[in-house]
């Protein structure tokens, strides 16, 4: 094989230069422009009127077999019992300290903070007293008496107030002409969702 010497490089460079200096026809276009036009044309022809996430999703034959045959067995013997165990474990822990599930929400989140402000007086006082009692129980390394643990800790008493807080914050952002793309990303200890100070505000989508 003939080695590739610098003289060959010079010949290739002269050929490239002469090609680039050659005049083009008036109707000719670059390869990339032609390729782009063809791709756009094909995309317009194949574009769906209904978005893909609104189209009916059809499963393959294998997926249908897994859904009808394998998944019920998986749910009955693995997923279902494991999720039930986790649920019962969380319920037992909450009853041990006399808490409700909604008492665990982080009040530093602005949506939860607004929801706590919207709570009626009796619910707010009950929530505060439950949390103080749980803190004392945890400090003393004990638990509630068994006769006081007969309640359902999974009643979502804060759910309507959380939804109302979302609506209020969304309305405020609309009135302030706030847009998600205006948020600053990763500036200091903030989350990047638009707040200027930690835990000052949060975007409700």
């Amino acid at each position: 094989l003939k080695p590739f010497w610098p003289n060959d490089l010079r010949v290739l460079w002269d050929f490239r230069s002469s090609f680039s200096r050659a005049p083009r026809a008036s109707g000719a276009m670059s390869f990339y422009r032609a390729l782009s036009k063809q791709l756009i044309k094909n995309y317009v022809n194949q574009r769906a009127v209904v978005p893909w996430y609104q189209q009916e999703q059809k499963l393959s034959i294998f997926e249908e077999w897994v859904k009808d045959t394998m998944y019920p067995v998986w749910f009955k013997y693995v997923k279902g019992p494991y999720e039930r165990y986790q649920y019962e474990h969380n319920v037992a822990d909450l009853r041990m300290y006399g808490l409700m599930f909604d008492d665990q929400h982080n009040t530093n989140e602005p949506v939860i903070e607004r929801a706590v402000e919207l709570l009626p007086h009796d619910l707010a006082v009950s929530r505060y007293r439950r949390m103080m009692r749980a803190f004392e129980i945890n400090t003393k390394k004990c638990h509630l008496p068994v006769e006081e643990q007969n309640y359902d800790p999974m009643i979502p008493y804060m759910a309507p107030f959380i939804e109302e807080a979302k609506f209020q914050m969304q309305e405020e952002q609309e009135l302030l002409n706030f847009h998600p793309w205006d948020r600053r990303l990763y500036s200091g200890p903030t989350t990047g969702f638009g707040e200027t100070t930690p835990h000052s505000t949060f975007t409700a989508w």
Side-chain angles (χ1 to χ4, degrees):
L1 294 177
K2 179 183 177 181
F4 201 75
W5 299 107
N7 292 332
D8 300 323
L9 290 175
R10 183 175 54 81
V11 172
L12 289 176
W13 177 260
D14 293 341
F15 174 77
R16 180 182 179 277
S17 301
S18 61
F19 178 78
S20 61
R21 290 193 300 267
R24 288 186 178 181
S26 59
M29 64 177 66
S30 67
F31 167 76
Y32 297 105
R33 182 174 175 82
L35 178 62
S36 301
K37 292 186 67 174
Q38 187 65 29
L39 291 176
I40 293 174
K41 182 179 178 181
N42 293 338
Y43 170 74
V44 171
N45 294 333
Q46 298 175 3
R47 182 174 55 185
V49 179
V50 181
W52 64 269
Y53 50 84
Q54 294 180 358
Q55 297 178 9
E56 182 181 359
Q57 303 296 324
K58 294 184 179 180
L59 301 178
S60 63
I61 298 178
F62 177 74
E63 291 173 338
E64 288 284 352
W65 178 80
V66 171
K67 177 183 176 182
D68 297 335
T69 307
M70 297 299 296
Y71 187 78
V73 178
W74 164 261
F75 185 85
K76 181 178 181 180
Y77 294 104
V78 180
K79 185 178 180 180
Y82 178 75
E83 292 183 352
R84 186 66 182 179
Y85 163 77
Q86 289 291 335
Y87 176 82
E88 295 294 344
H89 184 72
N90 292 334
V91 168
D93 285 345
L94 291 171
R95 286 175 174 171
M96 184 184 303
Y97 293 103
L99 290 171
M100 301 290 288
F101 181 80
D102 285 352
D103 296 340
Q104 302 180 108
H105 290 307
N106 184 11
T107 54
N108 288 329
E109 287 190 14
V111 174
I112 304 301
E113 184 179 3
R114 179 72 63 91
V116 172
E117 293 176 357
L118 295 175
L119 284 176
H121 181 71
D122 55 342
L123 292 181
V125 171
S126 301
R127 181 177 187 274
Y128 176 79
R129 290 180 176 177
R130 282 195 304 270
M131 295 178 68
M132 293 299 101
R133 180 180 62 181
F135 179 78
E136 182 179 1
I137 289 175
N138 185 37
T139 304
K140 294 179 178 180
K141 305 298 181 183
C142 59
H143 56 79
L144 277 182
V146 178
E147 58 270 13
E148 296 184 16
Q149 297 184 22
N150 187 18
Y151 70 98
D152 184 11
M154 294 298 181
I155 298 176
Y157 71 94
M158 284 188 64
F161 305 100
I162 292 176
E163 295 301 317
E164 179 63 24
K166 290 179 182 179
F167 280 116
Q168 288 186 5
M169 297 185 70
Q170 183 177 4
E171 183 179 13
E172 292 173 2
Q173 291 177 355
E174 291 174 354
L175 293 174
L176 293 173
N177 199 23
F178 176 83
H179 299 287
W181 52 80
D182 293 334
R183 61 182 182 264
R184 300 185 305 160
L185 296 179
Y186 307 111
S187 56
T190 57
T191 62
F193 286 99
E195 67 269 33
T196 56
T197 57
H199 315 303
S200 62
T201 184
F202 189 80
T203 178
W205 302 98

